[in-house]
Amino acid sequence: MLEHPASAPPDDLKVKKAAPKKKKRGQEEVVVDAPFLAAQPLLSLLSEDVRAKICARMQHHTLARDEVIYEGPPLDEEFSPVYLVLYGDLAVYRTTRDLTTDTLREEVSNYISVGELYIQKLHSGEQTRRLQVRALCPARLLSFTYQELNYLLSKSQPFRDAVSEALRAVTRRQAKRFDDELQRDIAAFFVRERLTFARRVKIKRMDICIECDGCYDACRTRHGTDRLGASEVKYGITEIPSNCHNCVVPECIDKCKFGHITRHDQTGEIVISDNCVGCQACSKGCSFNAIQMHPVEALDLERYFPERDPEHKGKKIAQKCDNCSGYEDQACITACPTGAMFQVDGPDIFDYWEQFNVHKNPGFDAVVSPEDGANRARPWWAAFTLLNFILLSYESLTRVFAPQLCFGFLLHEWGLFSEPFDESKALNAGKTFGHTIGYIGTACMLVTQLYTVGKRFAPRFGSVQAWMEVHIWFGFLGFTYGFYHTAFSWREPVAVATFALFTVTILTGVVGRYLVFHVPRSQAGEDLALADVEARLQALNESIQQKFKDRRDGYTMMVRVDALRALQEQQALAGGAGAGGEGLGEEGGEGEEGGEGEEGAAPRGLKATLARLRRLVQGDKAHEEAIDALRAELGERVREGQADEVLRLMKEKARLARGASRAKWLSRALKSYKVFHVSIGHLTFAFLALHILKSLGLVGR
């Protein structure tokens, strides 16, 4: 780390340099001379004489990922450091004092990219107590002082203009992204996750994702391995898969000693050769955990690795996303039925900040995914379905209650229907009207199955998103026509069973598409944003501990409450008997671990799910009763008159903790909708076929 003087300038006006670093093996020492400066676009605008004079005062730095080049309080402006980034990106952090709470807070100030300058005064204000400049990726830069920058500015107008433009780019970014109230946290997230130097980023909107795993299945089908990666990086309810970002500064290429990772000459995509030896150096070097190693014996080499040398002896092969190079589409994005998965170019990711803010503005129509093109047709589908429902309801109800107003009667009166309207059997499943709407309902149900075909042949015959819309809306239409086809007669067992199964199919589809994943995750800002919950828990802990005579007693009490909650949940999720706090010591350590172990497991079967939910509710009640039982002990340890307030805060803390810890478990538990929806759907078609055959007299009545 480079240390800068904190007070008086050096007599010779030269920058004090860091202790010389040990040169890494194979790393050439960079000589900062006039020709080197002339090769830099910004410095090439200076005259040759000026470059010759200044080169001795500039220092070249090669930084590893996360290496800090400066950390300390702001310096006097004249001698503060200036960094010109030659390669890679730098993150700037500042620690400021919050005057309202009188506490220190670290925040991301900005980032500095290639060709840009770090100047201290752009990031330092009156309340700034400390600055840190850190490499987001392997980086190279030149350092000199602000005084020397002013000298250069006075020597060349073109250089002055270029520096002004570079600084304007940094300040515009600062004002638009890092100072804007809506974008500040999102921009800081991008910097913390080192996405500033990504050439492409895949993004998954979890408020519209139905977790069908279609993206992963499509990736495995096309490439033989899962190249997409798990979604470990999250902001609210928006996720970024651990996927190759095709970095501007690719550490994986530098790590490979065999030259099996290169950039494609035409696309610029980072690709791994089929002859990878499986040394794992690239996998360990990737800062995004985007390269996975696969045993050779588990792969279909002939199909997925046709260029691999048969004599190759490597036992593993490295695989990563190559953006489906050689294909016209990206398998994972094409396969997504809701548009939840999409990709943006790295430099443009800041323009998609609203996609990361959906938990604050919930609703699948509030912030439209870039891949949800079917969204434009959704109002028309809704209007068409509603119109069908209104007309069908009008016809069916008027046939029963006002026959002379129904279309069947009117069309006969106008001479358009030759068959007279039979008021004695106005609504009958076995008559012309009943048969007609039954045929239409059956046709709608058959159309819903085109979704399976559409998924397979997308995008040649339309997007998967469009086929999903067809599947959903024709399902609603089929249900509406099927409902009135029953003529409200529930005597024939097969017909009743068919309609009942169809009803369950529709309900499970609605639950899966809109309720299970959309509604709960849309409330993430309040209920499921675990970061917010943890922040509230921390604040509650602090508030509770302050009310104790001895803060250590407050800490011990919080440990006991947390352990009690963990024990309750462990017993409920594992199927044990309810609760109480018997045997709970002040440490309570093992209960926490056991509780989380069971929490991650999804319940098996509907009966088990309901039983565990019942036990969870019972455990909640027992947990609060156990907290109430601490009242007498609290009276001795807390300040006078504070016992009731402490109990209230402890219950609030327990409620928040339960909600946070169960959110993931509940989400996994409810994923069983897919199994029910598909299975019941198949069973519905079997009963529908039997119903049709019975109606046609082809099977015994």
Side-chain angles (χ1 to χ4, degrees), residues 388-420:
N388 273 264
F389 174 75
I390 292 173
L391 292 177
L392 192 56
S393 298
Y394 172 84
E395 178 67 10
S396 299
L397 295 176
T398 53
R399 280 174 172 261
V400 176
F401 300 107
Q404 295 183 349
L405 296 179
C406 71
F407 291 118
F409 180 85
L410 295 175
L411 291 175
H412 174 69
E413 288 292 311
W414 296 339
L416 298 178
F417 274 7
S418 58
E419 185 177 345

PDB file of all heavy atoms in Angstrom, residues 388-420:
ATOM      1  N   ASN A 388     -64.842 -12.830 -23.372  1.00  0.00           N
ATOM      2  CA  ASN A 388     -65.413 -14.173 -23.458  1.00  0.00           C
ATOM      3  C   ASN A 388     -66.200 -14.514 -22.199  1.00  0.00           C
ATOM      4  O   ASN A 388     -67.303 -15.072 -22.277  1.00  0.00           O
ATOM      5  CB  ASN A 388     -64.302 -15.205 -23.671  1.00  0.00           C
ATOM      6  CG  ASN A 388     -63.948 -15.406 -25.121  1.00  0.00           C
ATOM      7  OD1 ASN A 388     -64.444 -16.321 -25.784  1.00  0.00           O
ATOM      8  ND2 ASN A 388     -63.097 -14.535 -25.640  1.00  0.00           N
ATOM      9  N   PHE A 389     -65.629 -14.169 -21.063  1.00  0.00           N
ATOM     10  CA  PHE A 389     -66.300 -14.463 -19.796  1.00  0.00           C
ATOM     11  C   PHE A 389     -67.630 -13.707 -19.689  1.00  0.00           C
ATOM     12  O   PHE A 389     -68.647 -14.282 -19.284  1.00  0.00           O
ATOM     13  CB  PHE A 389     -65.385 -14.095 -18.631  1.00  0.00           C
ATOM     14  CG  PHE A 389     -66.028 -14.236 -17.294  1.00  0.00           C
ATOM     15  CD1 PHE A 389     -66.230 -15.483 -16.717  1.00  0.00           C
ATOM     16  CD2 PHE A 389     -66.465 -13.107 -16.592  1.00  0.00           C
ATOM     17  CE1 PHE A 389     -66.840 -15.610 -15.488  1.00  0.00           C
ATOM     18  CE2 PHE A 389     -67.075 -13.227 -15.361  1.00  0.00           C
ATOM     19  CZ  PHE A 389     -67.261 -14.493 -14.807  1.00  0.00           C
ATOM     20  N   ILE A 390     -67.639 -12.423 -20.069  1.00  0.00           N
ATOM     21  CA  ILE A 390     -68.855 -11.615 -19.969  1.00  0.00           C
ATOM     22  C   ILE A 390     -69.941 -12.147 -20.904  1.00  0.00           C
ATOM     23  O   ILE A 390     -71.105 -12.334 -20.505  1.00  0.00           O
ATOM     24  CB  ILE A 390     -68.539 -10.139 -20.276  1.00  0.00           C
ATOM     25  CG1 ILE A 390     -67.667  -9.544 -19.163  1.00  0.00           C
ATOM     26  CG2 ILE A 390     -69.827  -9.333 -20.430  1.00  0.00           C
ATOM     27  CD1 ILE A 390     -67.176  -8.145 -19.456  1.00  0.00           C
ATOM     28  N   LEU A 391     -69.559 -12.406 -22.164  1.00  0.00           N
ATOM     29  CA  LEU A 391     -70.551 -12.876 -23.135  1.00  0.00           C
ATOM     30  C   LEU A 391     -71.096 -14.248 -22.753  1.00  0.00           C
ATOM     31  O   LEU A 391     -72.306 -14.501 -22.843  1.00  0.00           O
ATOM     32  CB  LEU A 391     -69.930 -12.921 -24.532  1.00  0.00           C
ATOM     33  CG  LEU A 391     -69.569 -11.561 -25.154  1.00  0.00           C
ATOM     34  CD1 LEU A 391     -68.891 -11.761 -26.502  1.00  0.00           C
ATOM     35  CD2 LEU A 391     -70.815 -10.702 -25.304  1.00  0.00           C
ATOM     36  N   LEU A 392     -70.198 -15.136 -22.314  1.00  0.00           N
ATOM     37  CA  LEU A 392     -70.624 -16.484 -21.957  1.00  0.00           C
ATOM     38  C   LEU A 392     -71.493 -16.458 -20.696  1.00  0.00           C
ATOM     39  O   LEU A 392     -72.500 -17.181 -20.608  1.00  0.00           O
ATOM     40  CB  LEU A 392     -69.401 -17.374 -21.753  1.00  0.00           C
ATOM     41  CG  LEU A 392     -69.643 -18.876 -21.648  1.00  0.00           C
ATOM     42  CD1 LEU A 392     -70.393 -19.388 -22.873  1.00  0.00           C
ATOM     43  CD2 LEU A 392     -68.323 -19.618 -21.507  1.00  0.00           C
ATOM     44  N   SER A 393     -71.110 -15.615 -19.751  1.00  0.00           N
ATOM     45  CA  SER A 393     -71.915 -15.488 -18.528  1.00  0.00           C
ATOM     46  C   SER A 393     -73.296 -14.913 -18.853  1.00  0.00           C
ATOM     47  O   SER A 393     -74.322 -15.387 -18.336  1.00  0.00           O
ATOM     48  CB  SER A 393     -71.198 -14.592 -17.511  1.00  0.00           C
ATOM     49  OG  SER A 393     -69.965 -15.145 -17.128  1.00  0.00           O
ATOM     50  N   TYR A 394     -73.318 -13.911 -19.713  1.00  0.00           N
ATOM     51  CA  TYR A 394     -74.596 -13.305 -20.095  1.00  0.00           C
ATOM     52  C   TYR A 394     -75.502 -14.342 -20.760  1.00  0.00           C
ATOM     53  O   TYR A 394     -76.677 -14.491 -20.404  1.00  0.00           O
ATOM     54  CB  TYR A 394     -74.356 -12.140 -21.054  1.00  0.00           C
ATOM     55  CG  TYR A 394     -75.621 -11.569 -21.649  1.00  0.00           C
ATOM     56  CD1 TYR A 394     -76.367 -10.619 -20.967  1.00  0.00           C
ATOM     57  CD2 TYR A 394     -76.080 -12.006 -22.898  1.00  0.00           C
ATOM     58  CE1 TYR A 394     -77.545 -10.107 -21.506  1.00  0.00           C
ATOM     59  CE2 TYR A 394     -77.252 -11.503 -23.446  1.00  0.00           C
ATOM     60  CZ  TYR A 394     -77.982 -10.557 -22.751  1.00  0.00           C
ATOM     61  OH  TYR A 394     -79.144 -10.061 -23.287  1.00  0.00           O
ATOM     62  N   GLU A 395     -74.952 -15.095 -21.710  1.00  0.00           N
ATOM     63  CA  GLU A 395     -75.764 -16.064 -22.438  1.00  0.00           C
ATOM     64  C   GLU A 395     -76.281 -17.158 -21.510  1.00  0.00           C
ATOM     65  O   GLU A 395     -77.458 -17.527 -21.555  1.00  0.00           O
ATOM     66  CB  GLU A 395     -74.949 -16.669 -23.578  1.00  0.00           C
ATOM     67  CG  GLU A 395     -75.671 -17.738 -24.384  1.00  0.00           C
ATOM     68  CD  GLU A 395     -76.849 -17.183 -25.176  1.00  0.00           C
ATOM     69  OE1 GLU A 395     -77.006 -15.934 -25.253  1.00  0.00           O
ATOM     70  OE2 GLU A 395     -77.617 -17.993 -25.730  1.00  0.00           O
ATOM     71  N   SER A 396     -75.392 -17.660 -20.645  1.00  0.00           N
ATOM     72  CA  SER A 396     -75.788 -18.765 -19.771  1.00  0.00           C
ATOM     73  C   SER A 396     -76.824 -18.320 -18.740  1.00  0.00           C
ATOM     74  O   SER A 396     -77.819 -19.021 -18.497  1.00  0.00           O
ATOM     75  CB  SER A 396     -74.551 -19.334 -19.062  1.00  0.00           C
ATOM     76  OG  SER A 396     -73.620 -19.834 -20.001  1.00  0.00           O
ATOM     77  N   LEU A 397     -76.626 -17.170 -18.152  1.00  0.00           N
ATOM     78  CA  LEU A 397     -77.539 -16.708 -17.114  1.00  0.00           C
ATOM     79  C   LEU A 397     -78.884 -16.262 -17.686  1.00  0.00           C
ATOM     80  O   LEU A 397     -79.937 -16.512 -17.078  1.00  0.00           O
ATOM     81  CB  LEU A 397     -76.893 -15.568 -16.324  1.00  0.00           C
ATOM     82  CG  LEU A 397     -75.650 -15.969 -15.510  1.00  0.00           C
ATOM     83  CD1 LEU A 397     -75.029 -14.761 -14.842  1.00  0.00           C
ATOM     84  CD2 LEU A 397     -75.993 -17.029 -14.475  1.00  0.00           C
ATOM     85  N   THR A 398     -78.877 -15.604 -18.827  1.00  0.00           N
ATOM     86  CA  THR A 398     -80.156 -15.190 -19.424  1.00  0.00           C
ATOM     87  C   THR A 398     -80.946 -16.394 -19.916  1.00  0.00           C
ATOM     88  O   THR A 398     -82.185 -16.379 -19.909  1.00  0.00           O
ATOM     89  CB  THR A 398     -79.934 -14.214 -20.592  1.00  0.00           C
ATOM     90  OG1 THR A 398     -79.009 -14.786 -21.533  1.00  0.00           O
ATOM     91  CG2 THR A 398     -79.397 -12.877 -20.088  1.00  0.00           C
ATOM     92  N   ARG A 399     -80.275 -17.457 -20.349  1.00  0.00           N
ATOM     93  CA  ARG A 399     -80.988 -18.671 -20.750  1.00  0.00           C
ATOM     94  C   ARG A 399     -81.798 -19.227 -19.577  1.00  0.00           C
ATOM     95  O   ARG A 399     -82.859 -19.803 -19.771  1.00  0.00           O
ATOM     96  CB  ARG A 399     -80.005 -19.738 -21.253  1.00  0.00           C
ATOM     97  CG  ARG A 399     -79.550 -19.527 -22.685  1.00  0.00           C
ATOM     98  CD  ARG A 399     -78.464 -20.512 -23.085  1.00  0.00           C
ATOM     99  NE  ARG A 399     -78.192 -20.403 -24.512  1.00  0.00           N
ATOM    100  CZ  ARG A 399     -78.688 -21.214 -25.457  1.00  0.00           C
ATOM    101  NH1 ARG A 399     -79.503 -22.208 -25.103  1.00  0.00           N
ATOM    102  NH2 ARG A 399     -78.398 -21.032 -26.726  1.00  0.00           N
ATOM    103  N   VAL A 400     -81.300 -19.058 -18.362  1.00  0.00           N
ATOM    104  CA  VAL A 400     -81.976 -19.593 -17.187  1.00  0.00           C
ATOM    105  C   VAL A 400     -83.004 -18.611 -16.628  1.00  0.00           C
ATOM    106  O   VAL A 400     -84.136 -18.987 -16.313  1.00  0.00           O
ATOM    107  CB  VAL A 400     -80.935 -19.958 -16.098  1.00  0.00           C
ATOM    108  CG1 VAL A 400     -81.643 -20.426 -14.824  1.00  0.00           C
ATOM    109  CG2 VAL A 400     -79.999 -21.044 -16.602  1.00  0.00           C
ATOM    110  N   PHE A 401     -82.606 -17.339 -16.538  1.00  0.00           N
ATOM    111  CA  PHE A 401     -83.451 -16.370 -15.824  1.00  0.00           C
ATOM    112  C   PHE A 401     -84.234 -15.412 -16.733  1.00  0.00           C
ATOM    113  O   PHE A 401     -85.241 -14.857 -16.299  1.00  0.00           O
ATOM    114  CB  PHE A 401     -82.582 -15.547 -14.856  1.00  0.00           C
ATOM    115  CG  PHE A 401     -81.888 -16.373 -13.830  1.00  0.00           C
ATOM    116  CD1 PHE A 401     -80.523 -16.597 -13.899  1.00  0.00           C
ATOM    117  CD2 PHE A 401     -82.602 -16.962 -12.794  1.00  0.00           C
ATOM    118  CE1 PHE A 401     -79.870 -17.362 -12.951  1.00  0.00           C
ATOM    119  CE2 PHE A 401     -81.962 -17.728 -11.838  1.00  0.00           C
ATOM    120  CZ  PHE A 401     -80.596 -17.943 -11.913  1.00  0.00           C
ATOM    121  N   ALA A 402     -83.788 -15.213 -17.965  1.00  0.00           N
ATOM    122  CA  ALA A 402     -84.497 -14.300 -18.887  1.00  0.00           C
ATOM    123  C   ALA A 402     -84.326 -14.813 -20.311  1.00  0.00           C
ATOM    124  O   ALA A 402     -83.603 -14.227 -21.112  1.00  0.00           O
ATOM    125  CB  ALA A 402     -83.973 -12.876 -18.743  1.00  0.00           C
ATOM    126  N   PRO A 403     -84.965 -15.947 -20.640  1.00  0.00           N
ATOM    127  CA  PRO A 403     -84.744 -16.603 -21.934  1.00  0.00           C
ATOM    128  C   PRO A 403     -84.936 -15.686 -23.145  1.00  0.00           C
ATOM    129  O   PRO A 403     -84.234 -15.836 -24.160  1.00  0.00           O
ATOM    130  CB  PRO A 403     -85.765 -17.742 -21.930  1.00  0.00           C
ATOM    131  CG  PRO A 403     -86.049 -17.985 -20.486  1.00  0.00           C
ATOM    132  CD  PRO A 403     -85.949 -16.669 -19.811  1.00  0.00           C
ATOM    133  N   GLN A 404     -85.872 -14.738 -23.083  1.00  0.00           N
ATOM    134  CA  GLN A 404     -86.149 -13.896 -24.239  1.00  0.00           C
ATOM    135  C   GLN A 404     -85.052 -12.864 -24.500  1.00  0.00           C
ATOM    136  O   GLN A 404     -85.080 -12.175 -25.521  1.00  0.00           O
ATOM    137  CB  GLN A 404     -87.490 -13.183 -24.060  1.00  0.00           C
ATOM    138  CG  GLN A 404     -88.681 -14.154 -24.033  1.00  0.00           C
ATOM    139  CD  GLN A 404     -90.011 -13.437 -23.937  1.00  0.00           C
ATOM    140  OE1 GLN A 404     -90.050 -12.234 -23.693  1.00  0.00           O
ATOM    141  NE2 GLN A 404     -91.100 -14.176 -24.113  1.00  0.00           N
ATOM    142  N   LEU A 405     -84.067 -12.779 -23.586  1.00  0.00           N
ATOM    143  CA  LEU A 405     -82.952 -11.847 -23.787  1.00  0.00           C
ATOM    144  C   LEU A 405     -81.673 -12.540 -24.215  1.00  0.00           C
ATOM    145  O   LEU A 405     -80.679 -11.873 -24.530  1.00  0.00           O
ATOM    146  CB  LEU A 405     -82.689 -11.067 -22.483  1.00  0.00           C
ATOM    147  CG  LEU A 405     -83.818 -10.140 -22.003  1.00  0.00           C
ATOM    148  CD1 LEU A 405     -83.414  -9.476 -20.693  1.00  0.00           C
ATOM    149  CD2 LEU A 405     -84.140  -9.096 -23.067  1.00  0.00           C
ATOM    150  N   CYS A 406     -81.664 -13.875 -24.248  1.00  0.00           N
ATOM    151  CA  CYS A 406     -80.433 -14.584 -24.599  1.00  0.00           C
ATOM    152  C   CYS A 406     -80.228 -14.558 -26.113  1.00  0.00           C
ATOM    153  O   CYS A 406     -81.147 -14.372 -26.903  1.00  0.00           O
ATOM    154  CB  CYS A 406     -80.465 -16.022 -24.084  1.00  0.00           C
ATOM    155  SG  CYS A 406     -81.615 -17.104 -24.957  1.00  0.00           S
ATOM    156  N   PHE A 407     -78.995 -14.772 -26.542  1.00  0.00           N
ATOM    157  CA  PHE A 407     -78.662 -14.724 -27.965  1.00  0.00           C
ATOM    158  C   PHE A 407     -79.341 -15.856 -28.730  1.00  0.00           C
ATOM    159  O   PHE A 407     -79.725 -15.693 -29.891  1.00  0.00           O
ATOM    160  CB  PHE A 407     -77.144 -14.801 -28.153  1.00  0.00           C
ATOM    161  CG  PHE A 407     -76.417 -13.575 -27.679  1.00  0.00           C
ATOM    162  CD1 PHE A 407     -75.485 -13.657 -26.656  1.00  0.00           C
ATOM    163  CD2 PHE A 407     -76.667 -12.342 -28.250  1.00  0.00           C
ATOM    164  CE1 PHE A 407     -74.817 -12.537 -26.210  1.00  0.00           C
ATOM    165  CE2 PHE A 407     -76.003 -11.208 -27.808  1.00  0.00           C
ATOM    166  CZ  PHE A 407     -75.072 -11.306 -26.784  1.00  0.00           C
ATOM    167  N   GLY A 408     -79.480 -17.035 -28.090  1.00  0.00           N
ATOM    168  CA  GLY A 408     -80.129 -18.154 -28.770  1.00  0.00           C
ATOM    169  C   GLY A 408     -81.540 -17.823 -29.193  1.00  0.00           C
ATOM    170  O   GLY A 408     -81.971 -18.133 -30.313  1.00  0.00           O
ATOM    171  N   PHE A 409     -82.297 -17.193 -28.301  1.00  0.00           N
ATOM    172  CA  PHE A 409     -83.677 -16.806 -28.610  1.00  0.00           C
ATOM    173  C   PHE A 409     -83.703 -15.688 -29.658  1.00  0.00           C
ATOM    174  O   PHE A 409     -84.473 -15.737 -30.635  1.00  0.00           O
ATOM    175  CB  PHE A 409     -84.372 -16.349 -27.327  1.00  0.00           C
ATOM    176  CG  PHE A 409     -85.799 -15.932 -27.528  1.00  0.00           C
ATOM    177  CD1 PHE A 409     -86.821 -16.875 -27.514  1.00  0.00           C
ATOM    178  CD2 PHE A 409     -86.127 -14.595 -27.759  1.00  0.00           C
ATOM    179  CE1 PHE A 409     -88.139 -16.485 -27.710  1.00  0.00           C
ATOM    180  CE2 PHE A 409     -87.438 -14.210 -27.963  1.00  0.00           C
ATOM    181  CZ  PHE A 409     -88.458 -15.162 -27.935  1.00  0.00           C
ATOM    182  N   LEU A 410     -82.840 -14.659 -29.474  1.00  0.00           N
ATOM    183  CA  LEU A 410     -82.847 -13.506 -30.372  1.00  0.00           C
ATOM    184  C   LEU A 410     -82.417 -13.885 -31.785  1.00  0.00           C
ATOM    185  O   LEU A 410     -83.007 -13.423 -32.778  1.00  0.00           O
ATOM    186  CB  LEU A 410     -81.927 -12.409 -29.824  1.00  0.00           C
ATOM    187  CG  LEU A 410     -82.366 -11.774 -28.495  1.00  0.00           C
ATOM    188  CD1 LEU A 410     -81.315 -10.789 -27.994  1.00  0.00           C
ATOM    189  CD2 LEU A 410     -83.724 -11.076 -28.654  1.00  0.00           C
ATOM    190  N   LEU A 411     -81.411 -14.738 -31.905  1.00  0.00           N
ATOM    191  CA  LEU A 411     -80.939 -15.125 -33.235  1.00  0.00           C
ATOM    192  C   LEU A 411     -81.993 -15.936 -33.991  1.00  0.00           C
ATOM    193  O   LEU A 411     -82.115 -15.832 -35.219  1.00  0.00           O
ATOM    194  CB  LEU A 411     -79.636 -15.929 -33.104  1.00  0.00           C
ATOM    195  CG  LEU A 411     -78.415 -15.122 -32.622  1.00  0.00           C
ATOM    196  CD1 LEU A 411     -77.225 -16.040 -32.418  1.00  0.00           C
ATOM    197  CD2 LEU A 411     -78.065 -14.013 -33.617  1.00  0.00           C
ATOM    198  N   HIS A 412     -82.780 -16.743 -33.260  1.00  0.00           N
ATOM    199  CA  HIS A 412     -83.875 -17.467 -33.905  1.00  0.00           C
ATOM    200  C   HIS A 412     -84.968 -16.489 -34.341  1.00  0.00           C
ATOM    201  O   HIS A 412     -85.535 -16.605 -35.441  1.00  0.00           O
ATOM    202  CB  HIS A 412     -84.448 -18.521 -32.954  1.00  0.00           C
ATOM    203  CG  HIS A 412     -85.661 -19.207 -33.502  1.00  0.00           C
ATOM    204  ND1 HIS A 412     -85.612 -20.082 -34.576  1.00  0.00           N
ATOM    205  CD2 HIS A 412     -86.977 -19.131 -33.134  1.00  0.00           C
ATOM    206  CE1 HIS A 412     -86.820 -20.518 -34.838  1.00  0.00           C
ATOM    207  NE2 HIS A 412     -87.685 -19.956 -33.980  1.00  0.00           N
ATOM    208  N   GLU A 413     -85.275 -15.520 -33.490  1.00  0.00           N
ATOM    209  CA  GLU A 413     -86.284 -14.526 -33.824  1.00  0.00           C
ATOM    210  C   GLU A 413     -85.876 -13.705 -35.045  1.00  0.00           C
ATOM    211  O   GLU A 413     -86.716 -13.296 -35.855  1.00  0.00           O
ATOM    212  CB  GLU A 413     -86.511 -13.595 -32.626  1.00  0.00           C
ATOM    213  CG  GLU A 413     -87.247 -14.246 -31.459  1.00  0.00           C
ATOM    214  CD  GLU A 413     -88.684 -14.562 -31.818  1.00  0.00           C
ATOM    215  OE1 GLU A 413     -89.382 -13.680 -32.347  1.00  0.00           O
ATOM    216  OE2 GLU A 413     -89.100 -15.718 -31.590  1.00  0.00           O
ATOM    217  N   TRP A 414     -84.577 -13.452 -35.190  1.00  0.00           N
ATOM    218  CA  TRP A 414     -84.095 -12.655 -36.325  1.00  0.00           C
ATOM    219  C   TRP A 414     -83.915 -13.492 -37.584  1.00  0.00           C
ATOM    220  O   TRP A 414     -83.511 -12.979 -38.617  1.00  0.00           O
ATOM    221  CB  TRP A 414     -82.762 -12.003 -35.966  1.00  0.00           C
ATOM    222  CG  TRP A 414     -82.881 -11.014 -34.820  1.00  0.00           C
ATOM    223  CD1 TRP A 414     -84.008 -10.390 -34.396  1.00  0.00           C
ATOM    224  CD2 TRP A 414     -81.813 -10.589 -33.959  1.00  0.00           C
ATOM    225  NE1 TRP A 414     -83.735  -9.566 -33.332  1.00  0.00           N
ATOM    226  CE2 TRP A 414     -82.387  -9.660 -33.022  1.00  0.00           C
ATOM    227  CE3 TRP A 414     -80.453 -10.867 -33.870  1.00  0.00           C
ATOM    228  CZ2 TRP A 414     -81.635  -9.042 -32.029  1.00  0.00           C
ATOM    229  CZ3 TRP A 414     -79.711 -10.235 -32.879  1.00  0.00           C
ATOM    230  CH2 TRP A 414     -80.295  -9.340 -31.969  1.00  0.00           C
ATOM    231  N   GLY A 415     -84.180 -14.789 -37.494  1.00  0.00           N
ATOM    232  CA  GLY A 415     -84.079 -15.651 -38.655  1.00  0.00           C
ATOM    233  C   GLY A 415     -82.690 -16.161 -38.949  1.00  0.00           C
ATOM    234  O   GLY A 415     -82.450 -16.763 -40.001  1.00  0.00           O
ATOM    235  N   LEU A 416     -81.758 -15.975 -38.010  1.00  0.00           N
ATOM    236  CA  LEU A 416     -80.386 -16.434 -38.239  1.00  0.00           C
ATOM    237  C   LEU A 416     -80.192 -17.876 -37.789  1.00  0.00           C
ATOM    238  O   LEU A 416     -79.264 -18.548 -38.243  1.00  0.00           O
ATOM    239  CB  LEU A 416     -79.409 -15.525 -37.487  1.00  0.00           C
ATOM    240  CG  LEU A 416     -79.416 -14.055 -37.932  1.00  0.00           C
ATOM    241  CD1 LEU A 416     -78.448 -13.236 -37.084  1.00  0.00           C
ATOM    242  CD2 LEU A 416     -79.023 -13.946 -39.413  1.00  0.00           C
ATOM    243  N   PHE A 417     -81.048 -18.371 -36.880  1.00  0.00           N
ATOM    244  CA  PHE A 417     -81.016 -19.763 -36.452  1.00  0.00           C
ATOM    245  C   PHE A 417     -82.334 -20.407 -36.861  1.00  0.00           C
ATOM    246  O   PHE A 417     -83.412 -19.864 -36.602  1.00  0.00           O
ATOM    247  CB  PHE A 417     -80.865 -19.861 -34.932  1.00  0.00           C
ATOM    248  CG  PHE A 417     -79.444 -19.823 -34.451  1.00  0.00           C
ATOM    249  CD1 PHE A 417     -78.407 -19.570 -35.334  1.00  0.00           C
ATOM    250  CD2 PHE A 417     -79.148 -20.059 -33.113  1.00  0.00           C
ATOM    251  CE1 PHE A 417     -77.104 -19.532 -34.897  1.00  0.00           C
ATOM    252  CE2 PHE A 417     -77.853 -20.027 -32.673  1.00  0.00           C
ATOM    253  CZ  PHE A 417     -76.814 -19.752 -33.565  1.00  0.00           C
ATOM    254  N   SER A 418     -82.247 -21.572 -37.496  1.00  0.00           N
ATOM    255  CA  SER A 418     -83.471 -22.270 -37.903  1.00  0.00           C
ATOM    256  C   SER A 418     -84.072 -23.053 -36.738  1.00  0.00           C
ATOM    257  O   SER A 418     -85.282 -23.219 -36.654  1.00  0.00           O
ATOM    258  CB  SER A 418     -83.178 -23.215 -39.074  1.00  0.00           C
ATOM    259  OG  SER A 418     -82.182 -24.159 -38.707  1.00  0.00           O
ATOM    260  N   GLU A 419     -83.251 -23.542 -35.842  1.00  0.00           N
ATOM    261  CA  GLU A 419     -83.735 -24.344 -34.721  1.00  0.00           C
ATOM    262  C   GLU A 419     -84.332 -23.440 -33.649  1.00  0.00           C
ATOM    263  O   GLU A 419     -83.678 -22.501 -33.172  1.00  0.00           O
ATOM    264  CB  GLU A 419     -82.580 -25.156 -34.123  1.00  0.00           C
ATOM    265  CG  GLU A 419     -83.010 -26.114 -33.030  1.00  0.00           C
ATOM    266  CD  GLU A 419     -81.849 -26.958 -32.515  1.00  0.00           C
ATOM    267  OE1 GLU A 419     -80.797 -27.010 -33.191  1.00  0.00           O
ATOM    268  OE2 GLU A 419     -82.010 -27.555 -31.431  1.00  0.00           O
ATOM    269  N   PRO A 420     -85.579 -23.682 -33.250  1.00  0.00           N
ATOM    270  CA  PRO A 420     -86.208 -22.831 -32.230  1.00  0.00           C
ATOM    271  C   PRO A 420     -85.544 -23.021 -30.870  1.00  0.00           C
ATOM    272  O   PRO A 420     -84.969 -24.066 -30.563  1.00  0.00           O
ATOM    273  CB  PRO A 420     -87.660 -23.310 -32.216  1.00  0.00           C
ATOM    274  CG  PRO A 420     -87.604 -24.715 -32.711  1.00  0.00           C
ATOM    275  CD  PRO A 420     -86.488 -24.764 -33.713  1.00  0.00           C
TER     276      PRO A 420
END
